[in-house]
Amino acid sequence: MTDSRSGRGPLEGTIARPPKEVVEGFRGLATSTIGNVLDDLGIAGIMLNIKPLAPGSYLLGTAFTAKEVTGVQHSYTAAEFGLGAVVDGAEAGDVIVIDNGGQQVSTWGGVAAFAASRRGVAGLLVDGGVRDVDEIRHYEFPTFSRHAVPLSGKTRVKVIEINTVVKIDGVMVRPGDIIVGDSTGVVCVPSAVAAEVLAAARRLDEDDRKAIEEIKAGLSFRAALAKFSKL
């Protein structure tokens, strides 16, 4: 399928990824902290219904996106599933982001997780379903999804576009945006404002640390709330 805006095929062109130091700067920052900053800036980047497949999972990387459609069994041929192009197209450090419209059907399993992990892919984010949960956990491949289901996507799911703007739980995700996920949930930081969001999140994180130290020293929680108004 060609991109109507450029006439190019879905894998052609390059992704404008933020500098690696900006991406890595988010490591260790909680999604709650980043979410506060996104709220302050009026950026809709918080996903409320996507959760980690395994406790303690952590996700950080740049978005490599794919858009899918789903039908009843035998709607598509097995070749139209198209997941191979997605896995093989992602680069090391990318998070594969799949928009399947929240469907309760698997678009990802254990073999895909193993293959992506071997390529250095940072993880997976799916607005839809995955399967082979135990296998994915065994490979320690960070996976965040709306559903975990045994229903196969074979002949039900078709990849229709790669490297396009997708919607995950109502949040627009563009190729190259920064995805961060932890036990609380997932946020998307638009690449165009990533440095600004990072600087603000670091300040907020430092305020949190200072508040904890002052509470340890005897400051009341009420006083901490007043002093550090962004808590």
Side-chain angles (χ1 to χ4, degrees), residues 6 11 18 26 40 49 75 84 88 106 122 124 132 137 145 148 150 174 183 200 202 223:
S6 64
L11 279 174
F26 284 92
D40 290 344
N49 299 293
S75 292
D88 292 344
S106 172
L124 174 73
D132 300 334
R137 288 177 175 176
S145 67
R174 296 166 176 80
S183 296
R202 281 174 164 167

Side-chain angles (χ1 to χ4, degrees), residues 218-230:
L219 188 70
S220 71
F221 183 56
R222 181 183 297 178
L225 288 174
K227 185 171 183 178
F228 301 97
S229 59
K230 294 295 184 179

Side-chain angles (χ1 to χ4, degrees), residues 3 23 31 148:
D3 185 334
V23 178
T31 57

Side-chain angles (χ1 to χ4, degrees), residues 19 49 53 67 93 95 182:
N49 299 293
L53 201 61
K67 171 67 177 175
V95 171
D182 59 19

